[in-house]
Amino acid sequence: MCIALLSVMPAASAEYEAPSAIDRLERGRTLFDQHWVVAPSVFGMWGRGPTSNGEGCTDCHAHHGRGTPPERADEIMTSMLLKLSVPGARRDGGPQPHPVYGLQLQQQGILGEVPAEGIATLDWMDERVVLSDGTTVHLRRPRLRVRNLAFGPLGEKTMTSARVAPPLAGLGMLETVADGTLIALAERDAGEGIHGRVNRVPAAAGTGTIAGRFGLKASRATIREQIADALHEDLGVTSTLHPDENCPPAQASCRLHPIAKRPEITTTQLDDLTMHIRMLPSPAAPVSPAAGVRRGRAIFVDLQCAACHLPTIDGLLVSAYTDLLLHDLGAGLADGRPEFDAGPRDWRTAPLWGLGRAVAEGARLLHDGRARTMQEAILWHGGEALGARQRYAALPRSDRDALIRFLGSL
């Protein structure tokens, strides 16, 4: 993949193409690992804040992986985020920011100068599901708590969405899928009431819309836009795409705090960071694939899981197990918060590549990390996936185990 992408990069001359690309990749990797600080400071790169949710990309994406939810009721959400919005939409069709707290709760400020907006924690509520053979599975549902709000209550109409940061490996390959391919996938007959939809989002040039594919609701079309959003909302770092500090009008101390430069990450730096993420290889399957995965693969298809988690997409050389489309996953997983064409119950089909290794390393699954196992994740599916979930619950244990072994081999 890296060789293929590098081969189409423009260069001043062939003599300098490889060194330039290598240098850019190294600069991008350094920026990803960078510790951002509020100016002035000698302990990192200036540009963070005045409010933020972390000090660097690795706070939520350790080893380019996914974030983790808090496990204890009093534990602050540190590698996941709380999205906010109110009813209505912006002029570009995106979610309407909270008038006081913006699009995301910022849990860090500047001591003695700019207050943190508040603190978010999760309580886990136990729910039991009994399968057809009598097996009881304990699920957990998150209950959000927001406290220490610096500028008053959120208000009853505020829509919230607690989200774990998704893994980053392989995003460059997903970016190569053509819009026309996604449109064709949305128009196909997947059967059983399954209707994937493209999330139409604003094009970077500001003219028209383009197919979204990044983010948990496919609300960004390119890796560069996704990175610029994360820098702005998560770290408080401005760029040419988001030139203003993330300070809602009501937060005077945030707006008046001096900044070191504008923008705080240059266009070249943003391009280098984008290149680093774009060149990350797709997730590797476990070294020793689980035995007997062929049977589990057949069950995966029979249950209709492959209707959304497509093994292959035209143009991709590896199996991502996603269609990159929005699907209604039911009330159980709904966050009640729309994003462009994505409704309150809609989520982009999560790629399953790398799932086995991630779970083996203790990863939590679904958009808010509620699922501790692959089985729990399956049993949370509803809406268009309700039939697949019901068929899974009716399987004998040997078939359920075979399916999990297959998923563990990805």
Side-chain angles (χ1 to χ4, degrees), residues 162 174 190 243 246 394:
L174 300 181
N246 183 20

Side-chain angles (χ1 to χ4, degrees), residues 97-144:
H98 189 283
V100 176
Y101 292 99
L103 286 171
Q104 189 166 290
L105 186 72
Q106 307 294 333
Q107 299 188 93
Q108 298 181 31
I110 304 173
L111 184 63
E113 299 181 40
V114 180
E117 292 181 344
I119 293 174
T121 60
L122 297 176
D123 295 337
W124 296 107
M125 317 304 294
D126 184 72
E127 297 190 13
R128 300 183 183 185
V129 174
V130 180
L131 307 183
S132 61
D133 62 1
T135 300
T136 299
V137 181
H138 289 266
L139 306 181
R140 61 177 190 172
R141 180 187 297 273
R143 183 174 66 184
L144 175 68

Side-chain angles (χ1 to χ4, degrees), residues 9-32:
M9 287 178 52
S13 68
E15 180 181 356
Y16 295 105
E17 180 177 358
S20 174
I22 292 172
D23 289 345
R24 289 184 61 194
L25 283 171
E26 179 59 26
R27 291 197 301 264
R29 183 196 63 78
T30 300
L31 283 164
F32 184 83

